Amino acid sequence: MANNALGLFHEPDAALAAAGKLKGAGFAAPALISPIPMEGVEEVLGRKTSVIKRFTLFGAILGGLSGFALAAGTAVLYVHPTGGRPIITFPPFLIITYEMTILFGILATVLGFLISARLPAIRERVYVPDAAVDKFAVTVLCDNAEQFERAAAILRGAGAEDVQAIAEQHP
Amino acid sequence: MPDIDRRDFLKLVGAGSVGVAAGFVLAESIKHPVEYLIPFPVPPEDYSPGIATWYNTVCRMCAAGCGISVRTREGRAKKIEGNPAHPVNQGRLCALGQAGLQVLYNPDRLTTPLLRDGDRTGPFTQITWEEGLSAVADRLASVDGGRIYLLSEGVRGHLAGLFELFMAGLGSNRLLHYDFDYPHTLYAANKRFYGENNLPYYDLRNARYLLSFGADYLGSWISPVHHGLGFGHSRQGGEVRGYFVQIEPRMSLSGAAADEWIAASPGTEGLLALGLAHHIVAEGLYEGDDRDDWMSALAAYSTARVAEQTDVPTNTIARLAKAFARNQPSLAIGGGAAGNHSGGVDTLVAVNALNYLVGNLGKSGGLLFNPDPVVGRPTRSRRASFQTMLELAEDARRGNIEVLIVNQTNPVFTLPAATGFKEALAGIPLIVSLSSFMDETTALADLILPSHTYLESWGDDIPEPGVGFRTASVSQPVVSPLYDTRATGDIVLGLAQKLGLTDSMPWTSMKEYVEQGWRQIHARGADTETRDFQAFWRAILQAGVWGEKLRRDNGAFALDKSVIDNIGAQQPEFSGSNDDFPFVLHPYLSNTFLDGRGANLPWMQELPDPMTSVVYGSWVELNPATARQLGLAQGDLVRVESPHGSVSAPVYLYPGIRPDVIAMPIGQGHAEYGRYARNRGSNPIEILAPRAESHTGALAWSATRVKLAATGKKAALVQTGGTSRQLGRGIVQTTDATAGSGHNARLNSIPIKVVST
Amino acid sequence: MAAEHNELTYADVNRDVVRSLVETGPKYYVTLGVAVGVFLTCFFFPWFYQLFYGIGAAGMNQPTVWGTYLASFIFWIGLSHSGTLLSCVLHITNSAWRKAMYRSAEAMTLFSLMVAATMVMVHLGRPWFIHWSLPYPNQMELWPNFRSPLLFDVMAISTYLAGSSIFIYMGSIPDFAAVRDRTSGWRHHMYVLLSLGWRGTDTEWHRLGRAYTFLAVLIIPLAVSVHSIVSWDFALSIVPALHQTIFAPYFVVGAIYSGTAGIVTVMFMLRKYMNFERYITELHFDNLGKLLLLLSLIWTYINVLEIFTGWYSGTSTELEALRYKLFGFYAPLYWEMILFCAVAPLLLISRRFRTSFVPMLFLSFAINIGMYTERFLIVATSLSRKYLPDTWGLYVPSLVEISILIGSVAMFVTLFLVFVKIFPSVSIYEVKETMDVPRKGTPQWQTTR
Amino acid sequence: MSVVDRFSESWRKYRKPGYYEDFDYAWTMTIDLDRCNGCEACVTACQAENNLPIVGEEDIARGRQMQWIRIERYWDGEYPNARLSFIPMLCQHCDAAPCETVCPVSATYHNQDGLNVQVYNRCIGTRSCAVYCPYEVRYFNYSNHHWPAPLDQQLNPDVSVREKGVMEKCTFCIQRIRQAKDHAKDDGRRRVRDGEVQPACVQTCPTEALVFGDRNDPDSQVSRSLNDPRAYRVLDELNTRPSVVYLKKVVTDGG
């Protein structure tokens, strides 16, 4: 059963317009596939928010805490008096803290990105290779043939060069 | 096995609770200890792995006769330390003494008897002891006793006695003890002035003012460790800090340690001493009955004249004389280059005169006369001087020597090339060397019967000079012999046996001989009644030293008028004219190699020279101003040319040397003597003039003039030190205050906290 | 700029980049062969020898226990400093000219960091125990010493290495996807894995953009901290001429300076040998030239300041260190450094100079030689003149050290050569971003900037 | 002991600087420069005791000498007023040791005897401690050293032989300190007696310029020596707080 309608556009503006129309026609989640990040997507498909910044913040805080805990814990549990310094010596330990903050921040950001962008992809997904070159694709999930025809009509009407049916679950 | 049984031994180990165990018991099984991590997989009962055993014995690295304690572990010697009970070094030891371990474990030791194939350029082949001893004994039996020479290093104690017996048995009087650095002139001067055969004991420890005329008493003169102890105590150990003046053309170790270094013109030390004496007498600082005799004897040495001759300002002479007389007790010593000059004896007599004039004789802090030693030592006529060696060479050339036995001495290295000694040896049909190492002389031998090192042999020794009372020490083996070598005494006894000399020498081993000899010392002792000899002997082996703490009564010393009348000092005579040879060569004994014997020890090669930090080589010390004039820089290779040859070495710019003097250390420049010594540096003795001191025939080794020729090359001057100026960084800080006399030194910025417990 | 070079279509970009990955001429193989050969002979075998012999194979001694290995380490760390740092700064400030060059600049960061980490291995007396400097739980209950500036280094560099690898990888995901579609065989499989199934949906683009910006924000202070920390290896010691507060900014500026010069070199090579003339243009050289000029002036200022503080201290130790640097044994190197890094870059005032490719290449070489000299001098002049004059000594690098230095360059080149065949060395999507959006009826699109 | 206990104990003991004062011993050496005559007996004694290698002429020429205690020499003035002063330089066992903080693997640290110890097995050879040491008393093994047989039989079994790539330095003869402490324990004594332990250099010094002992014991010889007004520390301005204290050389002009 063909359950994905995909329209291929030459121009980004047309693709964007098509996506807007699909959304206006009540389709749940039209998606744009483009070779470059497209401007104006949010105006058409609604504002996007991501959890990445929370990941980054949380990672950084965790990193800072664990960095200091690592340095201080090591110093206190395995006492090696050096240079007459007190075992918990703030200036050097703050450097460790700083580095660990950033390291964990970076790793958490990556994790946040992967989770929120649902990568790496485990299953096959709707995709046209031309969309990585110079075509702009709009794809939408259709529950049945009637919906597909409707979506295809909208896409063609918006100036799609080609409309394909792709039998794959939209993510 | 020696005749201490196991039960005895265990008792002794038990008794030696301070770690000083007696006796020498080691199994035969450690001939090749390298093969085991712990030498005995199944250790003998009387031996515990991991526990150090200490043996007390005597250091033979120089003639001072320090007592040492050798720490052994698992049958191997690990460390040499001074024997705290020994009066000479009192637990302390010099670098060379420490390095004795590398004599024992030197990789270049001779390991078996060797016989030369063919002439003296041929190789050696290994032979057995039986073959070697028979060969020598056969030869000795077949020649006239007068044609047999035994040339030994200076040995004392029973070994010296054994040599006497042996040579007497052979009917030969040709027994010589030869050391390059034996102080002939000092003995002669003391004999002449005091009428003493022994050197006096120089009590540096209590001296408050010391005048040293060329004697490097902290580096190489007589007994450096003992002098070091005295120096340290005099400096900071007492109420008043001792003041040290060093008079020498090139600053030695002692010169650096001294408060004042006076670079008198080389060879004029005697004149300076008499100048001081003149000042003392003339200024009324001497009030003895024979003051007038002195006045007339010293009339020619007025301060002004002496100042001119010695290049020391008049006010310095006056100041030194006054201080020497007033700061009691004071002490004047002489030696080194001053003693080994054309008029060495006169110089040292003049120094003795100074001691007499200010009353330093027989008192603490001055010099004390030594009693005669309890154990024998060679008489002075047995001590070969330079002149004697020349005669020996002459005899060899004439074919008067049939057999020459050389024991651990290396005259080929320590005699100037101009003497032709090396070539003269060709006239001797059989040369037997008892050396442990392939030194230059041994390399010319026909037969080598290698001796044990001193750490493997029995023997005994007396320090010379003594320490003011009678003392003697026993040396015992600390490890079992490493190689197929024998103790020198055992070799001699072996030969005696073969020659049928058992009547005069009935002993089977050196140990037996030494032990028997010590029965006489036991017999002298106060405890003869309470302790039998075996107990005494064990105690001696434990302690390593015996002493009789009786000072000799120095009494009133009366000086013969003829001695006073004979006092005098001349301007030094040099070989080589002033015009052709502008510099005086000042060779000096390096405190690490002495006369070159330390050069095969890697620790000594690697020990930076204290004054220059140079390692592994020779150098020529030059005043920076002189170097500027000659256009020479540090490290430039120069040829030092004397009328008798030349040697090359790199230049070292040395601020502590007279501009008209250049100095070179003795000890390097070996052609043989193992991997560490061979072909390293150059030997200044080679180019010395064969000039003898007029009274004793000792080599006047500081009486040669030289010139310098730049080679245009740079030579590797391997130094451990970098820049030797402080640049105001306050690294070595000084104060002008003396201890205990109300100093005003500032406290350091951060107080050192002393926490009470 | 010359428009004819920039008449590009989106498809052209994809084609050009894929071509650079797939089509490999003999020239490439020869270059790679030479680089690997030099790496093996000059780096690998001498290092092997050094592992057997000990650090004594190098010329280090008392008191100069650090030598060219450490100088190389700082140099490579420094070289790493423009890539990612510059890329992040330009990303955040939205500078479009960055987009054609940032990928290779970031690769430079990555590889010079790797070479730097290798230099640490070479520098160590017992590199087989290098893992002891990492905090990992172990039976011996032995942990590293977190007070040590060297451990700061370990933490900072590993963070930086992780950060910049992630940064370059994140930026490359869409390009991997694009390349994935155009390749076959093992390359295809590799890119399938690397692209993580990227499709280019609006959500993915959005997430990527967010994450990328966060990373950039995190990496800028990281990069600054890395070279500050490297400087503290020296500045935290009490060695005269090293114990200075100016050291952190000095090192950071020096690092960016040498890194920017390094980018110029790499840009030139890519342009010339990978046929990216249409992407890397005079504009880039002009902008990089301006940046270099600015950095050179700051660098010169800090150098003057360093001399002044040394002189002003008036202590024997500082004055001697200064005297030795300016007039001592290594003085020719010092003046060479001044010539290359302070005087020569003044040519950049001229726009003609900035936009001439070959002179810029030579200048970039000169700057990096000068900067290497700077690192060498920091190690050699200070350590050979410390507190106790009796310990002063000279240090001259041995053949092994010089060889390893050459070999480390070869290592960098090798890594870079491998990189250009795996990573799209020009960012496909970001170059497209700088071009006009496609419009119907205009088959050719032109870049707007 | 639980982690919490360990944590609280170390926190209590080491929270503030100055905790060295509570350590069992504070081994200290004083060196009287007025006694020292530069004879270098200490150098050889140290070489013998601590298995220091013979590095050879070539390596010394390259500046790789290996002597844990060395004599530095400084000239003042020019002929004829030239004066040469010696100063033995060995690890100063600083209380505020720069070398300790820089070691990334804690191969050097301060032990309960107040000694700056070097753990050879832990050392990875960064050589940063030698850079940080202003006294230049840390020596690096630039290669493996060999003792031609039978010189190896002399090696002290109480001291390890260091391999290439390891930093080493004066230990104040820690093996002797250990032994003395063992003896004290065997004898039922709580502390080592003054003079019971002497490093090899102190033991052999012919002029008794070197004095070694525990400065926590106010009656020890070293404590008395520390109270000498001539006491100073080399490079005191660096505030490394060395445990080796020098006594100023006395320089007088004229008798």
Side-chain angles (χ1 to χ4, degrees), chain D residues 30-231:
Chain D
T30 60
I31 299 178
D32 190 339
L33 297 182
D34 204 28
R35 281 176 182 251
C36 175
N37 65 28
C39 73
E40 300 195 328
C42 47
V43 180
T44 308
C46 176
Q47 278 192 305
E49 174 75 17
N50 291 305
N51 297 343
L52 287 170
I54 302 139
V55 300
E57 181 177 13
E58 204 179 298
D59 264 12
I60 294 187
R62 295 164 85 177
R64 293 172 184 171
Q65 63 271 20
M66 185 83 79
Q67 273 146 356
W68 287 358
I69 180 169
R70 63 168 186 266
I71 305 289
E72 295 196 353
R73 49 197 62 69
Y74 292 106
W75 287 97
D76 287 297
E78 296 296 341
Y79 177 86
N81 298 315
R83 197 180 71 228
L84 183 58
S85 311
F86 298 109
I87 179 166
M89 189 54 67
L90 65 161
C91 175
Q92 307 279 308
H93 292 274
C94 308
D95 280 355
C99 58
E100 289 174 358
T101 46
V102 75
C103 181
V105 291
S106 287
T108 180
Y109 72 101
H110 233 67
N111 78 355
Q112 288 288 323
D113 284 6
L115 298 178
N116 176 300
V117 292
Q118 174 75 19
V119 187
Y120 307 129
N121 282 343
R122 180 69 173 165
C123 177
I124 60 171
T126 67
R127 307 190 287 293
S128 36
C129 48
V131 170
Y132 276 47
C133 175
Y135 304 96
E136 300 290 356
V137 289
R138 291 180 152 268
Y139 298 89
F140 186 69
N141 284 281
Y142 286 95
S143 52
N144 274 335
H145 300 287
H146 302 283
W147 283 261
L151 278 176
D152 53 349
Q153 295 191 25
Q154 183 272 328
L155 293 176
N156 186 353
D158 298 337
V159 178
S160 60
V161 171
R162 283 76 58 182
E163 75 158 349
K164 66 184 173 197
V166 169
M167 191 62 76
E168 60 181 68
K169 64 165 193 75
C170 162
T171 61
F172 269 175
C173 285
I174 193 168
Q175 69 279 11
R176 294 185 177 208
I177 295 175
R178 286 276 150 77
Q179 208 164 35
K181 284 163 106 175
D182 284 353
H183 279 164
K185 211 168 135 195
D186 291 348
D187 293 357
R189 281 179 282 130
R190 214 174 58 79
R191 297 184 71 79
V192 173
R193 272 194 298 261
D194 187 36
E196 196 175 342
V197 53
Q198 285 188 324
C201 53
V202 177
Q203 192 282 328
T204 208
C205 179
T207 57
E208 298 176 310
L210 276 55
V211 174
F212 182 78
D214 178 14
R215 72 169 176 273
N216 281 350
D217 171 8
D219 300 324
S220 66
Q221 203 193 343
V222 82
S223 290
R224 287 199 298 276
S225 209
L226 286 175
N227 284 326
D228 191 309
R230 291 187 294 131

Side-chain angles (χ1 to χ4, degrees), chain B residues 140 143-151 162-176 382 392 395 400-405 499 501:
Chain B
L140 292 176
V143 299
D144 173 36
R147 296 162 70 81
I148 302 170
Y149 275 68
L150 173 54
L151 181 65
L162 198 64
F163 284 157
E164 293 287 345
L165 289 171
F166 180 67
M167 291 307 276
L170 290 172
S172 168
N173 195 28
R174 313 292 194 190
L175 168 60
L176 294 171
R382 289 277 186 239
L392 190 148
D395 275 351
N400 290 342
I401 305 178
E402 199 69 36
V403 181
L404 174 67
I405 303 174
L499 290 163
L501 301 175

Side-chain angles (χ1 to χ4, degrees), chain B residues 311-329:
Chain B
D311 197 16
V312 178
T314 48
N315 56 354
T316 306
I317 295 177
R319 181 167 55 79
L320 290 182
K322 204 176 285 173
F324 183 65
R326 288 205 173 135
N327 287 302
Q328 286 295 323

Side-chain angles (χ1 to χ4, degrees), chain B residues 375-683:
Chain B
V375 190
R377 58 168 176 179
T379 58
R380 262 194 58 218
S381 61
R382 289 277 186 239
R383 291 287 189 171
S385 68
F386 177 65
Q387 200 64 44
T388 326
M389 295 303 282
L390 287 183
E391 284 158 18
L392 190 148
E394 192 54 33
D395 275 351
R397 269 192 287 265
R398 290 211 188 113
N400 290 342
I401 305 178
E402 199 69 36
V403 181
L404 174 67
I405 303 174
V406 186
N407 174 39
Q408 315 270 13
T409 186
N410 191 6
V412 173
F413 181 79
T414 55
L415 286 173
T419 57
F421 186 86
K422 184 178 172 185
E423 294 73 21
L425 291 180
I428 302 172
L430 177 65
I431 300 176
V432 181
S433 174
L434 308 185
S435 176
S436 310
F437 295 98
M438 185 61 81
D439 55 33
E440 284 81 352
T441 311
T442 306
L444 295 172
D446 301 291
L447 181 63
I448 303 174
L449 300 176
S451 297
H452 282 342
T453 62
Y454 68 102
L455 294 174
E456 298 160 306
S457 345
W458 283 98
D460 54 358
D461 197 16
I462 44 153
E464 211 177 352
V467 284
F469 54 85
R470 285 198 178 92
T471 177
S473 16
V474 176
S475 64
Q476 58 181 323
V478 301
V479 291
S480 66
L482 253 69
Y483 300 116
D484 188 16
T485 56
R486 291 192 184 179
T488 315
D490 290 338
I491 298 172
V492 171
L493 286 171
L495 286 172
Q497 233 161 28
K498 288 213 181 294
L499 290 163
L501 301 175
T502 40
D503 287 349
S504 57
M505 290 183 275
W507 311 285
T508 54
S509 71
M510 185 67 189
K511 174 178 185 281
E512 194 184 322
Y513 175 49
V514 173
E515 196 177 329
Q516 200 229 334
W518 275 73
R519 286 180 187 274
Q520 288 155 25
I521 299 176
H522 174 238
R524 308 170 52 97
D527 55 352
T528 316
E529 303 299 316
T530 55
R531 226 169 14 167
D532 69 355
F533 175 70
Q534 283 307 329
F536 168 77
W537 181 239
R538 279 198 297 268
I540 290 297
L541 289 183
Q542 279 194 15
V545 64
W546 170 90
E548 200 172 55
K549 226 166 177 175
L550 288 171
R551 292 260 180 218
R552 177 172 154 194
D553 179 16
N554 285 289
F557 178 78
L559 195 63
D560 196 65
K561 184 173 180 310
S562 65
V563 174
I564 304 175
D565 292 344
N566 275 333
I567 277 179
Q570 275 71 48
Q571 279 283 22
E573 292 165 27
F574 290 97
S575 293
S577 68
N578 288 17
D579 297 336
D580 293 343
F581 298 97
F583 299 105
V584 173
L585 176 63
H586 177 93
Y588 60 92
L589 291 168
S590 128
N591 74 328
T592 47
F593 305 132
L594 289 182
D595 58 358
R597 72 184 75 166
N600 64 338
L601 311 175
W603 282 341
M604 292 296 96
Q605 287 286 0
E606 208 142 282
L607 191 68
D609 174 73
M611 307 297 287
T612 61
S613 89
V614 181
V615 292
Y616 283 111
S618 296
W619 61 96
V620 178
E621 286 168 17
L622 206 56
N623 190 298
T626 314
R628 252 196 312 280
Q629 272 171 18
L630 297 174
L632 291 171
Q634 181 112 332
D636 284 354
L637 189 68
V638 289
R639 211 167 43 247
V640 182
E641 295 174 11
S642 84
H644 302 278
S646 70
V647 290
S648 299
V651 165
Y652 184 93
L653 300 184
Y654 193 79
I657 189 167
R658 282 179 65 88
D660 57 351
V661 175
I662 67 157
M664 279 187 81
I666 294 170
Q668 297 276 32
H670 283 275
E672 295 286 343
Y673 210 32
R675 68 190 77 176
Y676 296 106
R678 197 185 297 130
N679 300 332
R680 223 179 253 299
S682 44
N683 180 9

Side-chain angles (χ1 to χ4, degrees), chain C residues 30-47:
Chain C
V30 170
T31 321
L32 184 68
V34 169
V36 171
V38 172
F39 168 66
L40 285 179
T41 44
C42 292
F43 184 94
F44 200 72
F45 295 123
W47 187 34

